[in-house]
Amino acid sequence: MIKLIAIFTMLIDHIGYIFFPDVMILRMIGRLSFPLFAYGIAIGMKRTKDVKKYGFRLLILALISQLPYQLVFGTRYFNVLFTLFIGLFSLIILKANIKISIKISIIVGLTLISDLLNFEYGIYGVLLIICFYFCDNNIKLVSSVTILTLVGVIIYNYPMIQLFSILAVLIIPLQKKFDFKISKIVSYLFYPSHLILLWFIEYKF
């Protein structure tokens, strides 16, 4: 359910960015997308039977999606799947049986890499995934996501509409009431496929 909403809001956001840049409501709706994907990574970490395969699929998908991403958005940034991968890898490190000092050092290194290499959402994105993994309490979750988003707006100079992403935490409880899975093929291939389709429409028309 959450992943389906994340996909739908992402599509609305990208359509708005490419074809209707002045229709702000489309971009506002799109702000819900990334937090929901970040939440999906946190849940995936808890549910997957093989986190290595999960991470490998995510990395391969990120690599496949990079060229369509650059064609559509004309940017040198790395697409959001790289951020999700770094977030997942950070969770693996945090759950590993190693000294806390080493964990912190590696996590700091990973977040800096996401920032220096211009991964979409950067440090904010990685920390949001970690937040979703460890904050089970609703009040703690809302507070943490709000603080992270405010800091992200300040650090990365995001437009103020990024604050609408905080509303994503109101959607998450739907996971418990309407939890159903979508096809893995749809789940994994939608991102690069929709980018290719949007690029084709933009290029041809």
Side-chain angles (χ1 to χ4, degrees):
M1 177 68 177
I2 297 298
K3 186 171 288 187
L4 191 60
I5 297 174
I7 287 173
F8 184 63
T9 52
M10 176 185 66
L11 179 60
I12 290 175
D13 182 53
H14 290 172
I15 289 174
Y17 180 88
I18 297 168
F19 302 110
F20 308 102
D22 296 326
V23 183
M24 196 55 61
I25 185 65
L26 300 179
R27 305 306 313 284
M28 291 163 62
I29 293 172
R31 297 310 89 209
L32 300 174
S33 179
F34 179 75
L36 296 178
F37 278 117
Y39 174 76
I41 292 296
I43 293 299
M45 174 67 180
K46 293 179 179 181
R47 293 182 175 180
T48 185
K49 295 179 181 179
D50 192 332
V51 70
K52 292 182 180 179
K53 286 185 179 179
Y54 183 36
F56 180 74
R57 288 194 298 264
L58 197 57
L59 179 59
I60 293 299
L61 192 61
L63 293 169
I64 292 173
S65 302
Q66 186 58 25
L67 179 57
Y69 175 79
Q70 289 180 316
L71 290 173
V72 170
F73 296 107
T75 179
R76 293 183 179 180
Y77 275 69
F78 284 92
N79 70 73
V80 71
L81 296 179
F82 284 101
T83 309
L84 297 180
F85 172 77
I86 289 292
L88 177 65
F89 191 44
S90 298
L91 295 180
I92 294 173
I93 296 300
L94 287 170
K95 297 296 290 183
N97 187 24
I98 55 178
K99 292 182 178 180
I100 186 65
S101 58
I102 297 177
K103 289 183 180 181
I104 293 174
S105 298
I106 295 175
I107 298 302
V108 170
L110 289 173
T111 54
L112 288 177
I113 287 173
S114 70
D115 184 67
L116 294 173
L117 295 183
N118 290 326
F119 286 11
E120 192 174 4
Y121 288 109
I123 296 174
Y124 160 70
V126 175
L127 293 181
L128 195 61
I129 293 169
I130 295 174
C131 170
F132 278 126
Y133 187 83
F134 288 102
C135 293
D136 293 327
N137 181 280
N138 287 337
I139 296 177
K140 188 188 295 185
L141 180 62
V142 172
S143 301
S144 301
V145 170
T146 300
I147 292 170
L148 273 177
T149 304
L150 288 171
V151 172
V153 168
I154 294 170
I155 292 177
Y156 289 106
N157 198 28
Y158 293 142
M160 293 304 293
I161 62 168
Q162 185 63 34
L163 295 178
F164 281 92
S165 66
I166 298 171
L167 297 177
V169 297
L170 302 179
I171 299 174
I172 289 173
L174 294 175
Q175 180 80 10
K176 296 179 181 179
K177 292 184 178 180
F178 308 101
D179 189 12
F180 60 85
K181 296 181 179 180
I182 61 176
S183 168
K184 280 189 177 182
I185 295 178
V186 174
S187 177
Y188 282 104
L189 294 184
F190 183 85
Y191 187 75
S193 298
H194 96 282
L195 289 177
I196 292 171
L197 180 60
L198 289 176
W199 172 78
F200 181 79
I201 295 172
E202 182 185 22
Y203 177 76
K204 289 295 183 180
F205 301 99

